[in-house]
Amino acid sequence: MTDLYRVLPEEMDDLVIKLGQPKYRSEQLLRALYHESPRKMSDLHQIPGAMRDSLIAAGYTIGSEDEVHRVVSEDGHTTKLLLKFDEQTLIETVLMQYGPSQDKTHPRSTVCVSTQVGCPMGCVFCATGQMGFEKNLKAEEIISQVLHFARILRQRGEHVTNLVFMGMGEPLANYDEMVRAVRLLTHPRAFGLGQRSITISTVGVISGIDRLADEDLQVKLAISLHAPNDELRKRLVPTAGPHSVEDLISAAKRYFKKTGRRVTFEYALIDGINDSTKVAAELAQVLKGNGAHVNLIPMNPTAGGFNRPARKKVLAFQQILRNGDVNCTVRVEKGAEISAACGQLRTDMVENIR
Ligand code: SAH
Ligand code: SF4
């Protein structure tokens, strides 16, 4: 069985020809899939019944997700969904909306997608890392998260404007399916999102960073650094082993050189662990002079017993980086009260609502 939501436009062209259909059917099929987002074959009304039958006979299908649970933040700007593809595939995905304008629509609606069920990287402060690794998602399962929100937004006259690969899992550890999803989501004949509206966040899979730099994609890259030296970083990211901080910074430089796009370093600030003025100065030293941008993410509560530093400490850390000529912003957090913020996504404790 092949899901139609994983078929690239060029592959769709070949497919309709193989099925003995006129070429324009490919366009029709793509338009139906990405503008109306049917959830099953029988909803593909735009396509003649005979063609639907031949698609089914050739082993094509439209798999769909079930929305098992929905939580909306008090201000209505953040929505977390629990989606189920099959018994083994239960993931969380989040919509973050920013600044409603005069007409009450949101100029920016960002979907935070998951790429894996659980995560093999085991970061000690991350709820997903702590649930362990279960499986990689397929491209169609990544796309379904975006289409699910697109359907919800369409009813309100809004649409998905941005995408961040910052949900459950490590996107570069599921490289091929992640890139296939990006191609479909950005292809003008498929979902058509701007490549520059997409950010891929990685804990630092260096081979993946180098591969991504060689793709003809204009996506933004963020590397989760969390520490200026290897000793501290290995305490936080136990699987960092073979990749040193220096290796990561070199990989970021190569990415910039190849693509012309600067990498952002994410830094989860954890009280008493990696937030001292000494560590800030060391980080400034390490990053100085390469035009780096640091995005500080004050720790979101998870079960690990790590805490968020006081606001004063966050600002002091930021100031030291800025004084060292390192560009630094503090992430505006959304969704913490519904456990939908960075690092709070896990699905192994949801039996009660399945
Ligand atoms: N695996 C990828 C992408 C998903 S995590 C990565 O690690 O980059 C997205 C971001 O959330 C990462 O920067 C990660 O370090 C951060 N994060 C994880 N747990 C967090 C927590 N409890 N509080 C704040 N940020 C967290
Ligand atoms: Fe995986 Fe990213 Fe969480 Fe680390 S922070 S465990 S890489 S999802």
Side-chain angles (χ1 to χ4, degrees):
M1 289 297 227
T2 306
D3 197 305
L4 283 178
Y5 281 118
R6 64 173 290 112
V7 181
L8 290 161
E10 298 75 23
E11 296 168 345
M12 198 70 90
D13 295 343
D14 293 345
L15 174 62
V16 297
I17 301 291
K18 220 170 73 196
L19 294 179
Q21 296 287 334
K23 215 172 146 201
Y24 70 85
R25 291 280 183 221
S26 173
E27 213 52 51
Q28 234 176 9
L29 201 46
L30 288 163
R31 195 159 318 130
L33 288 171
Y34 292 97
H35 290 260
E36 288 162 44
S37 324
R39 294 165 48 84
K40 49 186 192 307
M41 251 344 184
S42 55
D43 289 344
L44 261 182
H45 306 298
Q46 304 78 351
I47 303 300
M51 182 175 168
R52 280 205 306 265
D53 290 344
S54 55
L55 278 168
I56 294 167
Y60 288 87
T61 175
I62 291 180
S64 66
E65 69 290 346
D66 282 330
E67 184 179 315
V68 182
H69 195 60
R70 184 186 295 199
V71 207
V72 182
S73 65
E74 219 160 87
D75 64 10
H77 297 334
T78 307
T79 305
K80 177 167 83 162
L81 302 181
L82 183 62
L83 297 181
K84 182 176 170 181
F85 296 96
D86 56 52
E87 286 306 321
Q88 285 76 44
T89 319
L90 199 63
I91 53 101
E92 294 190 321
T93 182
V94 182
L95 171 72
M96 298 164 289
Q97 298 193 283
Y98 299 83
S101 52
Q102 297 282 306
D103 64 356
K104 300 264 190 304
T105 61
H106 294 82
R108 213 164 118 208
S109 297
T110 302
V111 179
C112 176
V113 290
S114 294
T115 51
Q116 299 180 314
V117 183
C119 181
M121 311 314 265
C123 301
V124 296
F125 51 85
C126 170
T128 309
Q130 291 311 299
M131 69 180 265
F133 174 64
E134 289 179 20
K135 63 184 282 198
N136 282 324
L137 292 184
K138 298 197 207 91
E140 58 269 34
E141 292 164 338
I142 299 173
I143 286 168
S144 289
Q145 301 168 51
V146 183
L147 294 181
H148 198 96
F149 276 122
R151 279 186 214 105
I152 295 173
L153 289 172
R154 207 174 289 143
Q155 289 169 355
R156 306 186 206 152
E158 298 181 344
H159 60 277
V160 175
T161 61
N162 296 74
L163 199 63
V164 292
F165 282 78
M166 295 187 187
M168 298 168 67
E170 167 50 44
L172 297 185
N174 184 14
Y175 190 91
D176 291 336
E177 294 299 301
M178 184 276 291
V179 167
R180 178 174 278 270
V182 169
R183 292 201 182 284
L184 283 156
L185 290 166
T186 58
H187 202 297
R189 294 174 62 206
F191 192 68
L193 200 64
Q195 292 184 351
R196 288 184 179 81
S197 317
I198 296 184
T199 302
I200 295 168
S201 174
T202 176
V203 72
V205 179
I206 292 195
S207 56
I209 296 174
D210 286 331
R211 255 180 102 182
L212 196 62
D214 283 332
E215 306 275 355
D216 52 341
L217 291 171
Q218 304 289 313
V219 292
K220 293 189 212 152
L221 181 68
I223 300 179
S224 297
L225 194 62
H226 312 313
N229 61 63
D230 295 330
E231 195 202 331
L232 182 54
R233 189 163 197 272
K234 279 182 195 162
R235 269 172 63 198
L236 301 174
V237 185
T239 49
H243 298 327
S244 66
V245 168
E246 201 186 328
D247 292 340
L248 288 179
I249 294 172
S250 305
K253 282 186 187 153
R254 285 197 298 280
Y255 188 87
F256 174 53
K257 211 166 157 202
K258 270 256 170 73
T259 65
R261 287 184 303 285
R262 283 192 198 288
V263 172
T264 295
F265 289 106
E266 292 163 288
Y267 193 104
L269 261 188
I270 313 171
D271 189 39
I273 307 275
N274 65 354
D275 66 337
S276 69
T277 50
K278 186 167 165 269
V279 170
E282 190 183 343
L283 184 64
Q285 190 61 36
V286 168
L287 295 179
K288 205 169 74 184
N290 65 15
H293 179 107
V294 175
N295 193 217
L296 299 176
I297 319 172
M299 180 72 201
N300 290 308
T302 62
F306 298 99
N307 297 310
R308 168 179 291 209
R311 182 81 186 155
K312 227 170 65 189
K313 278 177 99 179
V314 175
L315 296 177
F317 197 95
Q318 178 187 33
Q319 198 53 52
I320 292 170
L321 285 173
R322 287 187 169 170
N323 292 347
D325 248 353
V326 177
N327 212 318
C328 179
T329 46
V330 179
R331 179 167 304 173
V332 181
E333 267 306 337
K334 297 187 79 73
E337 85 273 22
I338 56 166
S339 288
C342 292
Q344 293 185 309
L345 306 181
R346 66 183 291 160
T347 51
D348 58 343
M349 300 202 298
V350 291
E351 274 70 17
N352 49 339
I353 51 167
R354 254 191 237 205

Coordinates of all heavy atoms in Angstrom, one line a residue, residues 278-341:
K278 N 29.6 32.5 34.3 CA 30.8 31.9 33.8 C 30.5 31.1 32.5 O 31.3 31.2 31.5 CB 31.4 31.0 34.9 CG 32.7 30.4 34.5 CD 33.3 29.8 35.8 CE 34.5 28.9 35.4 NZ 34.1 27.5 35.2
V279 N 29.5 30.3 32.5 CA 29.1 29.6 31.3 C 28.7 30.5 30.1 O 29.1 30.3 29.0 CB 28.0 28.6 31.6 CG1 27.4 27.9 30.4 CG2 28.5 27.5 32.6
A280 N 28.0 31.6 30.5 CA 27.7 32.6 29.4 C 28.9 33.2 28.8 O 29.0 33.3 27.5 CB 26.8 33.7 30.0
A281 N 29.9 33.5 29.6 CA 31.1 34.1 29.1 C 31.8 33.1 28.2 O 32.4 33.4 27.1 CB 32.0 34.5 30.2
E282 N 31.8 31.8 28.6 CA 32.5 30.8 27.8 C 31.8 30.6 26.5 O 32.4 30.4 25.4 CB 32.5 29.5 28.6 CG 33.4 28.4 28.0 CD 33.3 27.1 28.8 OE1 32.8 27.1 30.0 OE2 33.7 26.0 28.2
L283 N 30.5 30.6 26.5 CA 29.7 30.5 25.3 C 30.0 31.6 24.3 O 30.1 31.4 23.1 CB 28.2 30.4 25.6 CG 27.2 30.1 24.5 CD1 27.5 28.8 23.8 CD2 25.8 30.2 24.9
A284 N 30.0 32.8 24.9 CA 30.3 34.0 24.1 C 31.7 33.8 23.4 O 31.8 34.1 22.2 CB 30.3 35.3 24.9
Q285 N 32.6 33.3 24.2 CA 34.0 33.1 23.6 C 34.0 32.1 22.5 O 34.6 32.4 21.4 CB 34.8 32.6 24.8 CG 36.3 32.6 24.5 CD 36.9 34.0 24.2 OE1 36.4 35.0 24.8 NE2 37.8 34.0 23.3
V286 N 33.2 31.0 22.7 CA 33.2 30.0 21.7 C 32.5 30.4 20.4 O 32.9 30.0 19.3 CB 32.5 28.7 22.3 CG1 32.1 27.7 21.3 CG2 33.3 28.1 23.4
L287 N 31.5 31.3 20.5 CA 30.7 31.6 19.4 C 31.2 32.9 18.7 O 30.7 33.3 17.6 CB 29.2 31.7 19.7 CG 28.6 30.4 20.1 CD1 27.1 30.7 20.5 CD2 28.6 29.4 19.0
K288 N 32.0 33.6 19.4 CA 32.4 35.0 18.9 C 32.9 35.0 17.5 O 33.6 34.1 17.1 CB 33.5 35.5 19.9 CG 33.6 37.0 19.9 CD 34.5 37.5 21.0 CE 36.0 37.2 20.6 NZ 36.9 37.5 21.6
G289 N 32.5 36.0 16.8 CA 33.1 36.2 15.4 C 32.6 35.4 14.3 O 33.0 35.5 13.2
N290 N 31.6 34.5 14.6 CA 31.1 33.7 13.4 C 29.6 34.1 13.1 O 29.0 33.3 12.4 CB 31.3 32.2 13.6 CG 30.5 31.6 14.7 OD1 29.6 32.3 15.2 ND2 30.8 30.4 15.1
G291 N 29.2 35.3 13.6 CA 27.9 35.7 13.2 C 26.8 34.9 13.7 O 25.7 34.9 13.2
A292 N 27.0 34.1 14.8 CA 26.0 33.2 15.3 C 24.9 33.9 15.9 O 25.0 35.0 16.5 CB 26.7 32.2 16.3
H293 N 23.7 33.3 15.9 CA 22.6 33.8 16.6 C 22.2 32.7 17.6 O 22.0 31.5 17.3 CB 21.4 34.0 15.6 CG 20.2 34.5 16.3 ND1 19.7 35.8 16.1 CD2 19.3 33.9 17.1 CE1 18.6 35.9 16.9 NE2 18.4 34.8 17.5
V294 N 22.0 33.2 18.9 CA 21.6 32.2 20.0 C 20.2 32.5 20.4 O 19.8 33.7 20.6 CB 22.5 32.4 21.2 CG1 22.1 31.5 22.3 CG2 24.0 32.0 20.8
N295 N 19.4 31.5 20.5 CA 18.0 31.6 20.9 C 17.9 30.9 22.3 O 18.1 29.7 22.3 CB 17.1 31.0 19.9 CG 15.6 31.4 20.1 OD1 14.7 30.5 19.9 ND2 15.3 32.6 20.6
L296 N 17.7 31.6 23.3 CA 17.7 31.0 24.7 C 16.2 30.5 24.9 O 15.3 31.3 24.7 CB 18.0 32.1 25.7 CG 19.4 32.7 25.7 CD1 19.6 33.7 26.8 CD2 20.5 31.6 25.9
I297 N 16.1 29.3 25.4 CA 14.8 28.7 25.7 C 14.8 28.5 27.2 O 15.3 27.4 27.7 CB 14.5 27.4 25.0 CG1 15.0 27.5 23.5 CG2 13.0 27.1 25.1 CD1 14.9 26.1 22.8
P298 N 14.2 29.4 28.0 CA 14.2 29.1 29.4 C 13.4 27.8 29.6 O 12.3 27.6 29.1 CB 13.4 30.3 30.0 CG 13.6 31.4 29.0 CD 13.6 30.7 27.7
M299 N 14.1 26.9 30.3 CA 13.6 25.5 30.6 C 12.1 25.4 30.9 O 11.6 26.1 31.7 CB 14.3 25.0 31.8 CG 14.0 23.7 32.3 SD 14.7 22.6 31.1 CE 13.8 21.1 31.4
N300 N 11.4 24.5 30.2 CA 10.0 24.3 30.5 C 10.0 23.1 31.4 O 10.7 22.1 31.2 CB 9.2 23.9 29.2 CG 9.1 25.2 28.4 OD1 8.6 26.2 28.8 ND2 9.5 25.1 27.1
P301 N 9.1 23.1 32.4 CA 9.0 22.0 33.4 C 8.7 20.7 32.7 O 7.8 20.6 31.9 CB 7.9 22.4 34.3 CG 7.2 23.6 33.7 CD 8.1 24.1 32.6
T302 N 9.5 19.7 33.1 CA 9.2 18.3 32.7 C 9.4 17.5 34.0 O 9.7 18.0 35.0 CB 10.2 17.7 31.6 OG1 11.5 17.8 32.1 CG2 10.1 18.6 30.4
A303 N 9.3 16.1 33.9 CA 9.4 15.3 35.1 C 10.9 15.2 35.6 O 11.1 14.8 36.7 CB 8.9 13.9 34.8
G304 N 11.9 15.7 34.8 CA 13.3 15.5 35.2 C 13.8 16.2 36.4 O 15.0 16.0 36.8
G305 N 13.0 17.1 37.0 CA 13.5 17.8 38.1 C 14.4 19.0 37.8 O 15.2 19.5 38.6
F306 N 14.4 19.4 36.5 CA 15.2 20.6 36.1 C 14.3 21.8 36.1 O 13.1 21.7 35.8 CB 15.7 20.4 34.7 CG 16.7 19.2 34.5 CD1 16.2 18.0 34.1 CD2 18.0 19.4 34.9 CE1 17.1 16.9 33.9 CE2 18.9 18.3 34.8 CZ 18.4 17.1 34.3
N307 N 14.8 22.9 36.5 CA 14.0 24.1 36.7 C 14.4 25.2 35.8 O 15.5 25.3 35.3 CB 14.1 24.6 38.1 CG 13.5 23.5 39.0 OD1 12.4 23.0 38.8 ND2 14.3 23.1 40.1
R308 N 13.5 26.2 35.6 CA 13.7 27.4 34.8 C 14.4 28.4 35.7 O 14.0 28.6 36.8 CB 12.3 27.9 34.4 CG 12.4 29.3 33.8 CD 11.0 29.6 33.3 NE 10.6 28.8 32.2 CZ 9.7 29.3 31.3 NH1 9.2 30.4 31.3 NH2 9.4 28.5 30.2
P309 N 15.4 29.0 35.2 CA 16.1 30.1 36.0 C 15.2 31.3 36.1 O 14.2 31.5 35.3 CB 17.3 30.5 35.1 CG 17.3 29.6 34.0 CD 16.0 28.9 33.8
A310 N 15.4 32.1 37.2 CA 14.7 33.3 37.3 C 14.9 34.2 36.1 O 16.0 34.2 35.5 CB 15.1 34.0 38.6
R311 N 13.9 35.0 35.8 CA 13.9 35.9 34.7 C 15.2 36.8 34.6 O 15.8 37.0 33.6 CB 12.7 36.8 34.7 CG 12.6 37.8 33.5 CD 12.0 37.1 32.3 NE 12.0 37.9 31.1 CZ 12.0 37.5 29.9 NH1 12.0 36.2 29.6 NH2 12.0 38.4 28.9
K312 N 15.6 37.2 35.9 CA 16.8 38.1 36.0 C 18.0 37.3 35.5 O 18.9 37.9 34.8 CB 17.0 38.4 37.5 CG 17.3 39.9 37.8 CD 17.2 40.2 39.2 CE 18.3 39.5 40.0 NZ 18.3 39.5 41.4
K313 N 18.1 36.1 35.8 CA 19.3 35.3 35.3 C 19.3 35.1 33.8 O 20.3 35.1 33.2 CB 19.3 33.9 36.1 CG 19.9 34.0 37.5 CD 19.8 32.7 38.2 CE 21.1 31.9 38.1 NZ 21.0 30.6 38.8
V314 N 18.1 34.9 33.3 CA 18.0 34.7 31.8 C 18.5 36.0 31.1 O 19.3 35.9 30.2 CB 16.5 34.4 31.4 CG1 16.4 34.4 29.9 CG2 16.0 33.1 32.1
L315 N 18.0 37.1 31.6 CA 18.4 38.4 31.0 C 19.9 38.7 31.2 O 20.6 39.2 30.3 CB 17.6 39.6 31.6 CG 16.1 39.4 31.2 CD1 15.3 40.6 31.9 CD2 15.8 39.4 29.7
A316 N 20.5 38.3 32.3 CA 21.9 38.5 32.6 C 22.7 37.6 31.6 O 23.7 38.1 31.0 CB 22.3 38.1 34.0
F317 N 22.3 36.4 31.4 CA 22.9 35.5 30.4 C 22.9 36.1 29.0 O 23.9 36.1 28.3 CB 22.2 34.1 30.5 CG 23.0 33.0 29.9 CD1 23.7 32.1 30.7 CD2 23.0 32.7 28.5 CE1 24.4 31.0 30.2 CE2 23.7 31.6 28.0 CZ 24.4 30.8 28.8
Q318 N 21.8 36.6 28.7 CA 21.6 37.2 27.4 C 22.6 38.4 27.2 O 23.2 38.6 26.2 CB 20.2 37.7 27.2 CG 19.9 38.3 25.8 CD 18.5 38.9 25.7 OE1 18.0 39.4 26.7 NE2 18.0 38.9 24.5
Q319 N 22.6 39.2 28.3 CA 23.5 40.4 28.2 C 24.9 40.1 28.0 O 25.6 40.7 27.2 CB 23.2 41.3 29.5 CG 23.7 42.7 29.3 CD 23.1 43.4 28.1 OE1 21.8 43.4 27.9 NE2 23.9 44.0 27.2
I320 N 25.4 39.0 28.7 CA 26.8 38.6 28.5 C 27.1 38.2 27.1 O 28.1 38.6 26.5 CB 27.2 37.5 29.5 CG1 27.1 38.1 30.9 CG2 28.5 36.9 29.2 CD1 27.2 37.0 32.0
L321 N 26.2 37.5 26.5 CA 26.4 37.1 25.1 C 26.4 38.4 24.2 O 27.3 38.5 23.3 CB 25.3 36.2 24.6 CG 25.4 34.7 25.1 CD1 24.2 33.9 24.8 CD2 26.7 34.1 24.6
R322 N 25.5 39.3 24.4 CA 25.4 40.5 23.6 C 26.7 41.3 23.8 O 27.2 41.8 22.8 CB 24.2 41.3 24.0 CG 22.9 40.6 23.4 CD 21.7 41.5 23.6 NE 20.6 41.0 22.9 CZ 19.3 41.4 23.0 NH1 19.1 42.4 23.8 NH2 18.4 40.9 22.3
N323 N 27.1 41.4 25.0 CA 28.4 42.2 25.3 C 29.5 41.5 24.5 O 30.5 42.2 24.1 CB 28.7 42.2 26.8 CG 27.7 43.1 27.5 OD1 26.9 43.8 26.9 ND2 27.7 43.0 28.9
G324 N 29.5 40.2 24.3 CA 30.5 39.5 23.6 C 30.3 39.5 22.1 O 30.9 38.7 21.4
D325 N 29.3 40.3 21.7 CA 29.1 40.5 20.2 C 28.4 39.3 19.6 O 28.5 39.0 18.4 CB 30.4 40.7 19.5 CG 30.4 42.1 18.9 OD1 29.3 42.8 19.0 OD2 31.4 42.6 18.4
V326 N 27.7 38.5 20.5 CA 26.9 37.4 19.9 C 25.4 37.8 20.0 O 24.9 38.2 21.1 CB 27.1 36.1 20.8 CG1 26.3 35.0 20.3 CG2 28.6 35.7 20.7
N327 N 24.8 37.7 18.9 CA 23.4 38.0 18.7 C 22.6 37.0 19.6 O 22.8 35.8 19.5 CB 23.1 37.7 17.2 CG 22.0 38.6 16.7 OD1 21.0 38.8 17.4 ND2 22.2 39.0 15.5
C328 N 21.7 37.5 20.4 CA 21.0 36.6 21.3 C 19.5 37.1 21.6 O 19.3 38.2 21.9 CB 21.8 36.5 22.6 SG 21.0 35.4 23.8
T329 N 18.6 36.2 21.5 CA 17.2 36.5 21.8 C 16.7 35.4 22.8 O 17.3 34.4 22.9 CB 16.3 36.4 20.5 OG1 16.6 35.2 19.8 CG2 16.5 37.6 19.6
V330 N 15.6 35.8 23.5 CA 15.0 34.8 24.4 C 13.7 34.4 23.8 O 12.9 35.2 23.3 CB 14.7 35.5 25.8 CG1 14.0 34.5 26.7 CG2 16.0 36.0 26.4
R331 N 13.5 33.1 23.7 CA 12.3 32.6 23.0 C 11.0 33.0 23.8 O 10.9 32.8 25.0 CB 12.3 31.1 22.8 CG 11.1 30.6 22.1 CD 11.2 29.2 21.7 NE 12.3 29.0 20.8 CZ 12.7 27.8 20.3 NH1 12.0 26.7 20.7 NH2 13.7 27.7 19.5
V332 N 10.0 33.5 23.1 CA 8.7 33.8 23.7 C 8.0 32.4 23.7 O 7.7 31.8 22.7 CB 7.9 34.7 22.8 CG1 6.6 35.0 23.5 CG2 8.7 36.0 22.6
E333 N 7.8 31.9 24.9 CA 7.2 30.6 25.1 C 5.7 30.6 24.9 O 5.1 31.5 25.4 CB 7.6 30.1 26.5 CG 8.9 29.2 26.4 CD 8.8 28.1 25.4 OE1 7.7 27.7 25.0 OE2 9.9 27.7 25.0
K334 N 5.3 29.6 24.3 CA 3.8 29.4 24.2 C 3.4 28.0 24.6 O 4.2 27.1 24.3 CB 3.4 29.7 22.7 CG 3.7 31.1 22.2 CD 3.1 31.3 20.8 CE 1.7 31.6 20.8 NZ 1.4 33.0 21.3
G335 N 2.3 27.9 25.3 CA 1.8 26.6 25.5 C 2.2 25.9 26.7 O 1.8 24.7 26.9
A336 N 3.0 26.5 27.6 CA 3.5 25.8 28.7 C 2.4 25.3 29.6 O 2.5 24.2 30.2 CB 4.5 26.6 29.5
E337 N 1.3 26.1 29.8 CA 0.3 25.7 30.7 C -0.5 24.5 30.2 O -1.2 23.8 30.9 CB -0.6 26.9 31.1 CG -1.8 27.2 30.2 CD -1.4 28.1 29.0 OE1 -0.2 28.2 28.7 OE2 -2.3 28.7 28.4
I338 N -0.4 24.2 28.9 CA -1.1 22.9 28.4 C 0.0 21.9 28.0 O -0.3 21.0 27.2 CB -2.0 23.2 27.2 CG1 -1.3 23.9 26.1 CG2 -3.2 24.0 27.7 CD1 -2.1 23.9 24.8
S339 N 1.2 22.0 28.6 CA 2.3 21.1 28.3 C 2.5 20.9 26.8 O 2.8 19.8 26.3 CB 2.0 19.7 28.9 OG 2.2 19.8 30.3
A340 N 2.5 22.0 26.1 CA 2.7 22.0 24.6 C 3.9 22.7 24.2 O 4.2 22.9 23.1 CB 1.5 22.6 23.9
A341 N 4.7 23.1 25.2 CA 5.9 23.9 24.9 C 7.1 22.9 24.6 O 7.0 21.7 24.8 CB 6.2 24.8 26.0

